[in-house]
Amino acid sequence: MYKKSLLAILTFVLCASHAWAADEQGNWIAIAASSSVAYSAKGESGGLMNVSGKKGNAYGYVYQIENKKNKTFSYGKVFVMLDACKKGYGQVIYNDMQGKFTDAIDFVRFGGTVADGLGSVACSAWDGETGKISRAETAGRWELAAKATESGNEFVLKTDTVRKSTYSGKPAITALFGYKDLAQDTTDYGVYTIRISDCKKGFGTIYESDLKGKQVGKSDVALDGRSVISHVASALCRKL
């Protein structure tokens, strides 16, 4: 059953998105690529996993990396937590073939990075096996929140991740943001939170967390101020 569902879902995803090449080579399905490497999934290798003693709370599969320059190949296992599929973002966890942890990279469902592709395929394959849709591709969009004058680098907000939350026990608003470095052609992700009371009074503090929920920074802001981070806070507060 797995082989049919994963192969069908991956083929659908590949054909539906211009970011992933829609070709199959034997039992390997192309997922994502950069200028130097190409990633593929082994068609019948996926399934539910047990992580941290909990049953069926992750989904993983075997992947292949092709080094385009050297024409060499390497292999490993990759998985995502199922709550990340529902939330729309989290981390892709890389293991070697013996199940030893090797790396963890942030991903956003339906995003354009290699990690986004790897994580999104795991979530889509899980949806295919359960017959449910954990998150629809059309649920939200990226919205420009702020742009640096000199570099042109952008902060973009994922509209379908905006939600009411709490910070230190007080009502807050939270959303996923991407930071696009145009010169490096990279996108880094973070989660910003600001208290609703700060939004209402027009100034306060915005907090940044990584996708694991760890706070990594904070900034004092005045809404509609001239700093980039003030524009980010203003965009988030406007979603109330």
Side-chain angles (χ1 to χ4, degrees):
M1 176 180 175
Y2 172 76
K3 184 174 182 178
K4 292 181 180 179
S5 60
L6 176 62
L7 207 54
I9 288 298
L10 286 182
T11 302
F12 171 78
V13 171
L14 294 172
C15 293
S17 173
H18 64 81
W20 300 328
D23 65 355
E24 298 182 21
Q25 298 180 6
N27 205 28
W28 294 94
I29 301 97
I31 296 177
S34 69
S35 60
S36 58
V37 297
Y39 286 77
S40 302
K42 188 169 178 59
E44 73 278 13
S45 65
L48 290 171
M49 300 173 58
N50 304 331
V51 177
S52 300
K54 296 183 178 180
K55 185 177 180 180
N57 61 340
Y59 196 99
Y61 56 88
V62 172
Y63 69 90
Q64 171 183 271
I65 306 176
E66 176 188 358
N67 184 310
K68 294 181 178 180
K69 181 179 180 180
N70 300 330
K71 295 299 180 182
T72 58
F73 298 86
S74 57
Y75 301 90
K77 298 178 180 178
V78 67
F79 70 89
V80 300
M81 304 302 295
L82 298 185
D83 61 355
C85 294
K86 297 175 181 178
K87 187 168 56 175
Y89 59 88
Q91 288 198 310
V92 177
I93 312 299
Y94 297 82
N95 287 347
D96 62 20
M97 287 302 200
Q98 289 71 48
K100 182 179 179 181
F101 171 83
T102 59
D103 202 0
I105 299 178
D106 293 342
F107 88 97
V108 174
R109 289 195 70 175
F110 317 116
T113 71
V114 170
D116 293 343
L118 291 168
S120 296
V121 163
C123 292
S124 296
W126 175 54
D127 286 355
E129 290 202 4
T130 61
K132 300 177 181 179
I133 299 177
S134 58
R135 198 171 193 87
E137 185 170 5
T138 57
R141 61 187 179 87
W142 290 102
E143 178 182 289
L144 180 64
K147 185 173 183 178
T149 303
E150 294 185 5
S151 66
N153 294 342
E154 299 175 347
F155 282 88
V156 289
L157 178 155
K158 191 73 160 54
T159 57
D160 62 325
T161 66
V162 177
R163 62 183 177 86
K164 297 287 184 66
S165 62
T166 60
Y167 186 85
S168 297
K170 296 183 178 180
I173 185 169
T174 296
L176 173 75
F177 277 85
Y179 173 70
K180 294 185 175 182
D181 187 319
L182 301 186
Q184 299 296 322
D185 193 24
T186 59
T187 301
D188 295 319
Y189 299 117
V191 177
Y192 281 103
T193 301
I194 187 170
R195 292 189 180 96
I196 292 176
S197 59
D198 288 352
C199 289
K200 291 181 177 179
K201 67 185 180 184
F203 60 88
T205 303
I206 189 169
Y207 301 89
E208 180 183 0
S209 302
D210 61 23
L211 299 198
K212 294 182 291 185
K214 179 182 178 182
Q215 184 176 315
V216 295
K218 64 178 183 178
S219 301
D220 291 334
V221 293
L223 301 191
D224 301 318
R226 296 184 63 184
S227 69
V228 170
I229 195 63
S230 289
H231 280 279
V232 170
S234 299
L236 186 51
C237 286
R238 283 195 294 270
K239 296 301 178 183
L240 284 171

